[in-house]
Amino acid sequence: MTDHACMRCGAPITGDEIALYQKLVFRNARQFLCLDCLAEDCATTRDRLEQLIAYYHRTGICSLFVQQDMG
Ligand SMILES: [Zn+2]
């Protein structure tokens, strides 16, 4: 868990959610959306985004997620 909260609904945001937001929306973002709000914006589902996070962790192809693991 981080100090960040979703800029729309105020839900606590995890490091993974930050990484995913930066990956999908804006690399240098300083405000973020939780998975539920991001799924709404992306016209997808929370499940789909969680699968995407798992995918990036598994493959290690995204430096944002590698940094999260080391932090
Ligand atoms: Zn939210």
Side-chain angles (χ1 to χ4, degrees), residues 7-65:
M7 64 175 132
R8 183 172 301 164
C9 74
I13 286 196
T14 66
D16 283 342
E17 287 171 314
I18 290 175
L20 189 67
Y21 188 86
Q22 290 178 328
K23 175 78 176 171
L24 294 182
V25 183
F26 179 46
R27 178 65 181 255
N28 295 315
R30 287 294 174 267
Q31 288 186 298
F32 313 97
L33 291 175
C34 68
L35 284 189
D36 288 323
C37 294
L38 186 59
E40 201 176 301
D41 273 14
C42 295
T44 185
T45 64
R46 184 190 174 95
D47 276 358
R48 187 78 187 85
L49 294 181
E50 285 175 346
Q51 285 170 22
L52 203 55
I53 287 173
Y55 170 78
Y56 286 131
H57 273 299
R58 196 166 61 242
T59 59
I61 56 173
C62 179
S63 61
L64 289 171
F65 288 89

